[in-house]
Amino acid sequence: LNDAKRVAENFRKTVAETRIFYEEHQIRVTVSIGISSTFRSANTDTGIESVLKQADDALYKAKTGGRNRIMVWGNTPSMGII
């Protein structure tokens, strides 16, 4: 999970720092990312649908929490809060 957060944060920062110029305008772009993970064991039956739903829920929280941030499902806002 820490690797996923690190990769997501690097991507978020790269996108936020990228400047796009069109004619005489500068366009700034940001990205919000939702992260979820699972570990299969005899005690859990977390399918891909559940993991994707958790990541989607985390993404929704990132967007409603101010955008341009990373949220990990079930946690408070993670790195890169702007």
Side-chain angles (χ1 to χ4, degrees), residues 4 8-10 19 22 27 34 36 39 41 46 48 50-52 59 66-67 69 81:
E9 174 62 8
N10 288 339
R19 301 297 178 246
Y22 178 73
I27 302 168
S36 177
F39 297 96
S41 72
T46 306
I48 188 67
S50 177
V51 174
L52 290 174
L59 173 60
R67 302 189 181 213
R69 63 177 63 206
I81 300 171

Side-chain angles (χ1 to χ4, degrees), residues 4-50:
K5 289 192 297 186
R6 187 178 67 252
V7 168
E9 174 62 8
N10 288 339
F11 180 71
R12 186 202 65 77
K13 286 174 68 175
T14 298
V15 170
E17 293 170 356
T18 300
R19 301 297 178 246
I20 301 168
F21 295 95
Y22 178 73
E23 295 179 354
E24 296 179 15
H25 303 280
Q26 179 177 328
I27 302 168
R28 300 179 81 176
V29 179
T30 61
V31 63
S32 295
I33 301 170
I35 298 175
S36 177
S37 69
T38 187
F39 297 96
R40 285 227 181 254
S41 72
N43 299 333
T44 63
D45 185 27
T46 306
I48 188 67
E49 293 84 11
S50 177

